[in-house]
Every structure is written in C-alpha cells, then in structure tokens.
Amino acid sequence: QNAELCDKPVLGAELKPKEAKEQEQKLAAFHIQSAEAHFWFQRNVAVYVLNMPSATERWAQMSRRLQELEIHAKRLDGIDLSLGLDQAKKDGLVPNDWNFTAAKETMVRLLHKSSAAAAQRYLDNYGIGTVGCAAAHLRAMWQAASAWHSKKPLVLILEDDVWLEDDFKLKLRNLLRDEVPCDWDVISLRSQCPYGVCVTPHLTRVQPDGNEPEEMCRHGVNYGFYAMLYRADALIPVANALHRQIWNNSRPGCLANDVALAAISDRIAYYAVPSSQVPGFVQHTNRGSVRTELNHRGQAWLDLVLQKKQRYADKS
C-alpha cells in the first residue's frame, strides 16, 4: 500500500552532490554531515558479518570494503550442516526435537497440488543450506545480544555477499533520525518483493501476506537478510520469536529466516527498505549463494516431491 511513497528507484540515489562550482556549498555540507554520521556510527552501531570459514575470498572482499568505509566489524562463522545435524544439535544450534525428515515429508504433502515448476522452485529456498543459514543468523543474534557490554544501542548483521554504498553511514543516520518510527525492532536495509505499507519515503512497515497460506509460512514476499539492523534491546525477544517460527516441523516453509520473520511481522515491529531504491543502502553482489549451493547438494528430497506429483497425475 502507498507504493507511490517509497517504491521509487530515485529514492535510493547517492547523497553526494555532483562535483561542480555551483554545488560547492552543498558539497561542503555533505562532507560535514558525513563526518558527523561517521562519529555517530562508531558510537552507536555494532557490526557483525556472517561468513563461512571456507569462504575466505568473500571475507577478504568484505574486509576490504569495510576498511574503505572505516567500519569495524566482527566476523562470525556461518554454519555448514551438509555433513549432518547430530553435532549441530549437540552444540545447541538446532533444537533436539526438530526433525528434518518430518519437515521434508510435510513439504512433500503441501506441494503435491502445486505445479512441477513451483515445486522445483523450492529447491533454491529449502534444504540443508537453508537450515544452516537460519541457525547461523539466530546464533549471530544471540551472540550480538550477549556481547552488549559495548552498550551500543544498534546491531547490524551483514551477510558476506553485500556491498555497502559509499554514503551508507550517512543514509543510515538520516533514516533513523528522520523516518524510523519509535516502535521499531528490526529493519531490513534491502528487501526484495516487499509486502506491507509504505510509511515514509524509505521504509515499508512489513506485514504478513494474507494472500499466501499460513501453512506455507506466507511464502513469497520480503526476501533477503542481507543487512539487518536490530535494536540491541530487542535482539533476544526477536530471536526467540524467530526461533519458534523457524523450528516448526509442521511449517517447513518457515525454515527460510527471511520468510519466517515476515510471517510474524504482525507481532514484531519490522520495517524494510525496498530493493527498488537504487543503489540504496547496500547492493547484493553476484558472488553466488552458498545456501543455494548446499541446497542443491540435497536435491534428492525435491526429486521425491516431483515423483509423488507424477504419481498423483497418473492416478487422476
């Protein structure tokens, strides 16, 4: 709703004025504001980056970009569960009573009436890579919450395949100072297929998509956990609510953490910056998806879905 307010590419334009003599005053003001934003950011934002131990080149690229922007960040390990869930359960990364087999069987049942193309599309969204991604984000949230001794009121969790724009810190300060409602808990700084209501020029108030079935976790909107900003004092309640939503055998569609958070946005004050705003705060790079790669390794269960669909078709 109110798409004309925030669903415009021009709203993501860079803030730096063009180099020109008639722009000298504006350029000077921009540099002053950028310096103020840098100081504000250092005092108020704790930054974490999720990165697989094996993805050394991703971390090298991300580190270089953060250094260019003078942003200090702590690297947190991503989670690869492709070798099994037993150790992850022992380590508390996945609940002991969560059953991946049961979740997959439920997905097979839920998809049997969908088209083969739709079922195949789920291969990219659900599998062991998605399970690991969900576990990694939840762990990162709890780690950030436990490290709140820094007393920084904001926590930014980045995935390692994003590119922060040159004016990232200034845009973030302006957003929080001028637009963000007082009730906010979470802000996605880049949301694809946003669903909700535009409330300011740069923000939507995310809402569950009532057009999609609850049993599929309202899947289909608000994709991406690329750059997630949290109020530090909201981290634990948000993580706990997300934990309950994700580890639910009866709703395997909620395994995708972005889908799960959107589905409970009627209980959490969740806002998002539409990805249609270009370049916006962050861009998603073309380094490929580790989650999708791991999901593809487990393609056998999706093949089972398609085989069962064919049997249904043969009987009808």
Side-chain angles (χ1 to χ4, degrees), residues 232-303:
D233 60 1
L235 266 171
I236 290 178
V238 170
N240 288 344
L242 192 56
H243 179 276
R244 290 190 294 270
Q245 186 75 358
I246 287 172
W247 306 119
N248 186 335
N249 293 331
S250 65
R251 293 181 185 169
C254 292
L255 277 174
N257 43 339
D258 48 1
V259 172
L261 186 59
I264 57 173
S265 57
D266 54 347
R267 288 170 267 161
I268 290 171
Y270 180 21
Y271 294 84
V273 178
S275 63
S276 59
Q277 299 185 7
V278 180
F281 290 75
V282 302
Q283 292 292 305
H284 187 218
T285 66
N286 59 356
R287 297 173 195 161
S289 169
V290 175
R291 181 179 80 171
T292 299
E293 178 187 338
L294 292 172
N295 284 346
H296 278 228
R297 293 182 194 174
Q299 186 169 357
W301 81 271
L302 242 296
D303 290 340

Side-chain angles (χ1 to χ4, degrees), residues 1-275:
Q1 298 180 42
N2 299 336
E4 68 280 0
L5 178 61
C6 72
D7 193 14
K8 298 177 182 177
V10 68
L11 292 171
E14 64 176 304
L15 298 179
K16 184 178 181 179
K18 300 298 181 184
E19 299 277 358
K21 188 171 183 179
E22 60 272 18
Q23 296 278 51
E24 285 181 356
Q25 286 188 329
K26 289 184 178 180
L27 194 58
F30 167 79
H31 287 304
I32 293 171
Q33 292 165 9
S34 296
E36 292 172 347
H38 173 72
F39 180 71
W40 168 86
F41 190 93
Q42 286 185 315
R43 289 176 59 91
N44 291 283
V45 187
V47 184
Y48 299 85
V49 179
L50 277 169
N51 168 253
M52 284 286 195
S54 59
T56 54
E57 181 56 31
R58 283 175 177 247
W59 175 241
Q61 292 179 19
M62 189 67 173
S63 295
R64 284 194 294 271
R65 182 55 178 161
L66 291 171
Q67 288 172 7
E68 290 170 357
L69 298 178
E70 299 183 75
I71 293 176
H72 173 74
K74 182 176 181 180
R75 180 191 164 278
L76 300 177
D77 279 344
I79 299 174
D80 180 357
L81 299 178
S82 59
L83 298 180
L85 292 171
D86 290 345
Q87 187 59 48
K89 290 186 175 184
K90 290 179 182 177
D91 293 341
L93 301 175
V94 176
N96 281 318
D97 58 354
W98 184 73
N99 189 319
F100 192 27
T101 300
K104 290 185 287 188
E105 289 174 350
T106 301
M107 184 66 84
V108 170
R109 176 180 60 80
L110 293 173
L111 289 177
H112 85 268
K113 290 184 179 180
S114 62
S115 68
Q120 187 67 46
R121 192 171 64 246
Y122 275 80
L123 173 60
D124 289 338
N125 292 295
Y126 298 98
I128 200 64
T130 300
V131 177
C133 183
H137 271 279
L138 286 169
R139 182 172 68 176
M141 293 168 72
W142 282 316
Q143 286 177 324
S146 67
W148 197 26
H149 58 270
S150 66
K151 299 302 181 184
K152 292 184 177 180
L154 305 173
V155 170
L156 176 64
I157 299 179
L158 303 169
E159 294 187 337
D160 64 2
D161 56 353
V162 300
W163 175 269
L164 276 63
E165 293 299 321
D166 290 344
D167 53 6
F168 174 81
K169 288 180 285 189
L170 180 54
K171 283 179 174 175
L172 187 63
R173 189 201 65 163
N174 290 351
L175 182 74
L176 289 166
R177 183 191 62 189
D178 302 333
E179 297 189 38
V180 174
C182 295
D183 72 336
W184 78 279
D185 293 319
V186 191
I187 302 172
S188 168
L189 297 177
R190 177 183 168 84
S191 182
Q192 296 175 299
C193 304
Y195 184 88
V197 179
C198 287
V199 292
T200 73
H202 295 95
L203 281 180
T204 60
R205 174 59 169 93
V206 178
Q207 297 176 340
D209 185 358
N211 301 304
E212 297 296 330
E214 187 176 3
E215 60 190 9
M216 292 298 288
C217 207
R218 314 289 190 195
H219 180 277
V221 294
N222 296 107
Y223 293 134
F225 251 47
Y226 309 112
M228 302 297 293
L229 185 72
Y230 301 90
R231 272 193 16 241
D233 60 1
L235 266 171
I236 290 178
V238 170
N240 288 344
L242 192 56
H243 179 276
R244 290 190 294 270
Q245 186 75 358
I246 287 172
W247 306 119
N248 186 335
N249 293 331
S250 65
R251 293 181 185 169
C254 292
L255 277 174
N257 43 339
D258 48 1
V259 172
L261 186 59
I264 57 173
S265 57
D266 54 347
R267 288 170 267 161
I268 290 171
Y270 180 21
Y271 294 84
V273 178
S275 63

